[in-house]
């Protein structure tokens, strides 16, 4: 009987940059599209059908005494492959519980900072999908920003911290993953905030997320200041927290910039995107710490497992911020768009409240890599 490893244990290994060897037994096309990555991860691919009866395909590639974590789509084939390997004399084999589907859903909380007048800011890293969400905590209250659909994670974390979630906020209408913000607000009795320019077709009530309408967490401690910053969507709105942290949503990432085409409006919105990145953000302090809603590679994870950088540093090194004029920016954006995210239109419809897929279908809709950025 093979041993199993939970996604949380694997996540901690990757965040702590521990040496990890992974055998992925999915089909090669699926592996090439999306895989587990980490600074200290070594990963090879051998499809399960090559290992059904014997493991000769692994000869010379894996030492029989080394630790191996076997991964598949949902945790079934990996368990069988691990058992076949053990029968062949491999002594230290684990299968990943729930496979890539479970890996895609895991959220790892990382503390960003204690805030200036009390309270704290946390980042939730979705290692298998590249999504980043946030919780600001102060005086028994919390606000959650860009929540994923696994709302139980935020509810448990708030309970551990002894706080009540009073606000949930989406910086924009998401198209790459199903938002949990509205459900989280319903579960906790909080208020759900959404930019009104992204809410034209939604089927539910919300509080408008707009400039000049700050959100307070705790009595006076944390001010969440919205900053209108269109481009990824027409309503995209950034948040300045504690006058130190700039939550950019999907407008600006550490190594790239947001794509303007997920609602089919690339030509219309690319100008807004440039205005936000080259004008609106330029007026802000270089010392602001950028906290995006996604990251594209494990190289962006810091030593503590967080994703963050100073705004001024990004203006020096982010390729998407180096275009000399409007035409070169437009060319850069339109010529470097990656494939659309899986099921992006269905996800948008779900986030508008127009459809309500079953949980299993939601998992399937989200499977695959993050594709919110321009490959500048």
């Amino acid at each position: 009987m093979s041993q199993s490893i939970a996604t949380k244990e694997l996540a901690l290994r990757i965040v702590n940059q521990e040496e990890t060897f992974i055998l992925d037994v999915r089909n090669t096309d699926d592996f090439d599209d999306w895989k587990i990555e980490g600074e200290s991860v070594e990963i090879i691919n051998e499809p399960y059908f090559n290992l059904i009866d014997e493991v000769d395909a692994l000869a010379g590639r894996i030492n029989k005494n080394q630790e191996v974590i076997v991964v598949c789509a949902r945790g079934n084939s990996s368990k069988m492959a691990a058992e076949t390997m053990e029968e062949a004399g491999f002594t230290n084999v684990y299968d990943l519980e729930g496979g890539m589907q479970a890996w895609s859903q895991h959220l790892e909380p990382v503390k960003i900072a204690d805030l200036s007048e009390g309270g704290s800011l946390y980042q939730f890293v979705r290692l298998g999908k590249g999504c980043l969400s946030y919780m600001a905590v102060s005086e028994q209250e919390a606000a959650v920003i860009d929540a994923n659909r696994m709302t139980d994670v935020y509810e448990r974390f708030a309970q551990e911290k002894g706080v009540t979630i009073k606000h949930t906020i989406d910086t924009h209408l998401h198209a790459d993953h199903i938002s949990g913000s509205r459900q989280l607000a319903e579960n906790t009795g909080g208020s759900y905030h959404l930019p009104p320019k992204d809410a034209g077709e939604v089927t539910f009530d919300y509080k408008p997320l707009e400039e000049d309408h700050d959100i307070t967490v705790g009595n006076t401690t944390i001010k969440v200041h919205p900053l209108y910053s269109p481009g990824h969507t027409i309503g995209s709105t950034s948040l300045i927290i504690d006058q130190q942290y700039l939550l950019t949503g999907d407008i600006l990432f550490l190594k790239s910039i947001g794509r303007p085409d997920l609602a089919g409006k690339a030509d219309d919105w690319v100008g807004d995107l440039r205005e936000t990145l080259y004008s609106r953000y330029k007026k802000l302090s270089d010392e602001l710490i950028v906290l995006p809603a996604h990251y594209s590679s494990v190289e962006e994870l810091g030593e503590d497992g967080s994703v963050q950088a100073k705004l001024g540093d990004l203006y020096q090194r982010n390729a998407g911020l180096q275009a000399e004029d409007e035409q070169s920016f437009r060319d850069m954006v339109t010529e470097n768009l990656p494939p659309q995210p899986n099921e992006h239109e269905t996800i948008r419809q779900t986030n508008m409240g127009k459809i309500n897929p079953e949980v299993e279908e939601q998992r399937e809709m989200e499977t695959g890599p993050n594709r919110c950025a321009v490959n500048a």
Side-chain angles (χ1 to χ4, degrees), residues 252-257 274 277-278 282 311-330 332-333 376:
L252 176 62
F253 310 116
L254 266 56
K255 290 195 167 186
S256 55
I257 58 175
R274 184 173 186 274
L277 294 172
Y278 285 70
K282 270 284 193 181
L311 181 61
D313 291 344
L314 296 187
Y315 274 110
Q316 296 298 316
R317 67 171 192 250
N318 186 314
L321 301 177
Q322 311 305 319
E324 294 182 1
D325 53 47
E326 183 169 354
Q327 189 58 50
S328 57
F329 179 81
R330 188 174 289 271
M332 174 189 68
V333 169

Side-chain angles (χ1 to χ4, degrees), residues 52-161:
I52 291 175
D53 297 319
E54 42 80 28
V55 295
D56 289 354
L58 302 178
R61 302 173 74 189
I62 304 178
N63 185 305
K64 286 196 172 183
N65 294 319
Q66 78 179 99
E67 182 188 75
V68 181
I69 298 172
V70 188
V71 176
C72 68
R74 293 181 180 81
N76 298 319
S77 299
S78 59
K79 189 177 289 293
M80 290 186 282
E83 289 172 356
T84 302
M85 291 173 68
E86 286 185 338
E87 291 167 4
F90 288 84
T91 61
N92 200 8
V93 183
Y94 296 79
D95 66 272
L96 180 65
E97 292 177 0
M100 290 298 287
Q101 188 176 85
W103 179 244
S104 171
Q105 297 181 87
H106 179 76
L107 298 175
E108 189 64 31
V110 179
K111 187 173 185 178
I112 295 295
D114 289 318
L115 301 176
S116 59
E117 295 185 24
S120 305
L121 183 61
Y122 297 88
Q123 183 180 69
F124 290 76
V125 184
R126 191 173 175 184
L127 288 160
K129 184 76 176 167
C131 300
L132 301 167
S133 49
Y134 299 88
M135 184 183 291
V137 171
S138 175
E139 296 178 337
Q140 287 75 57
E141 293 186 6
V144 178
I145 298 101
D146 288 330
N148 288 265
R149 62 178 171 76
M150 293 75 72
T151 55
D152 58 313
V153 177
Y154 307 103
E155 292 178 65
R156 279 199 307 270
F157 192 82
Q159 190 172 26
E160 289 168 11
K161 299 298 176 186

Side-chain angles (χ1 to χ4, degrees), residues 33 42 66 133 162 181 234 239 248 277 299 335 344 361:
D33 188 44
E42 182 180 353
Q66 78 179 99
S133 49
S181 297
I234 195 60
L239 303 171
T248 55
L277 294 172
E299 297 160 10
E335 292 170 9
H344 75 281
E361 187 179 349

Side-chain angles (χ1 to χ4, degrees), residues 26 30 33-34 72-76 98-105 126 128-129 149-150 175-178 340-347 350 355-371:
R26 294 175 299 149
D30 295 332
D33 188 44
W34 176 50
C72 68
R74 293 181 180 81
N76 298 319
M100 290 298 287
Q101 188 176 85
W103 179 244
S104 171
Q105 297 181 87
R126 191 173 175 184
K129 184 76 176 167
R149 62 178 171 76
M150 293 75 72
D176 75 305
H177 71 273
I178 295 167
Q340 297 266 3
N342 297 345
E343 301 279 0
H344 75 281
E345 186 53 39
T346 311
I347 289 173
T350 303
I355 58 174
N356 185 27
E358 296 293 327
V359 172
E360 186 59 35
E361 187 179 349
Q362 291 185 24
R363 289 195 189 104
E364 290 292 333
M365 286 160 59
E366 288 190 329
T367 299
N370 153 42
R371 292 186 177 132

